[in-house]
Amino acid sequence: MNRSSTWISTLVWGLLFAGWLTLLFVFSSQTYDQQSIQPFLRSHFSADQLVRWLPDVTVKYRTSVINAHERPYSFIEFFFRKGAHFFVYATFAAMLFMFLRALSRGRWLISIAITLLAAVAIPALDEWNQLGSDERTGNATDVLLDFIGGCTGLLVCLCLLGLVKLWRRVRPSNRL
């Protein structure tokens, strides 16, 4: 790869990562009500419809008990929020790794280590920040979920890079 494409790659991954980090902190600064999907669910589905579609499952989380048939909107929102945590930090870790990889060619282990440290430090700071909010609660369980999401994003990224490398090595040469 020539020097200008390396520079462009680093810039693109850096901008994508900075944008994602900004988006993460914008969402983190919103109140619970601003993030709630329950108004959308209520306007598009009746509680009876959701009860028919959902299994009769109860989730215990911290001090809350959420039964799918008793509180279907809360049940769906709970899983949506936890899925969002996982996805946001999986994407965060993948983008950070790709940026670090572009920034420091050939230093994969350092890029992986920094990504893993950030995948636990940033969620911890985010949850700590939420402890100061009246409408949000910080939770160590969410840090763990975010870290697992970060590890998953990094693993997916490494697998995709490995597949690309394998494909480049195995593909027939176009030279005659």
Side-chain angles (χ1 to χ4, degrees), residues 4-143:
S4 69
S5 63
T6 300
W7 180 84
I8 290 170
S9 174
T10 303
L11 179 65
V12 167
W13 283 113
L15 289 172
L16 285 171
F17 176 69
W20 195 258
L21 193 58
T22 301
L23 190 65
L24 190 152
F25 281 107
V26 166
F27 286 143
S28 179
S29 300
Q30 291 179 331
T31 65
Y32 181 89
D33 289 337
Q34 288 173 313
Q35 290 183 345
S36 180
I37 64 167
Q38 288 191 42
F40 172 83
L41 292 172
R42 289 179 196 283
S43 69
H44 288 79
F45 306 100
S46 71
D48 291 336
Q49 279 179 307
L50 295 179
V51 167
R52 282 195 310 269
W53 295 339
L54 294 171
D56 189 12
V57 175
T58 300
V59 174
K60 295 176 185 172
Y61 183 74
R62 297 186 65 194
T63 59
S64 299
V65 177
I66 308 166
N67 180 278
H69 285 185
E70 292 173 14
R71 297 173 47 205
Y73 299 112
S74 296
F75 184 82
I76 291 171
E77 183 171 66
F78 172 79
F79 280 101
F80 180 82
R81 284 178 169 280
K82 298 310 159 191
H85 267 269
F86 185 88
F87 173 78
V88 163
Y89 282 99
T91 305
F92 165 84
M95 286 185 180
L96 175 58
F97 173 75
M98 291 303 290
F99 171 62
L100 293 172
R101 180 179 163 270
L103 197 60
S104 62
R105 290 273 176 214
R107 296 191 176 139
W108 284 55
L109 289 178
I110 291 172
S111 297
I112 291 170
I114 292 171
T115 299
L116 290 173
L117 284 172
V120 75
I122 299 299
L125 288 171
D126 179 38
E127 294 300 318
W128 180 66
N129 181 45
Q130 289 180 22
L131 288 174
S133 171
D134 292 335
E135 297 181 17
R136 303 279 302 268
T137 56
N139 189 347
T141 307
D142 284 348
V143 175

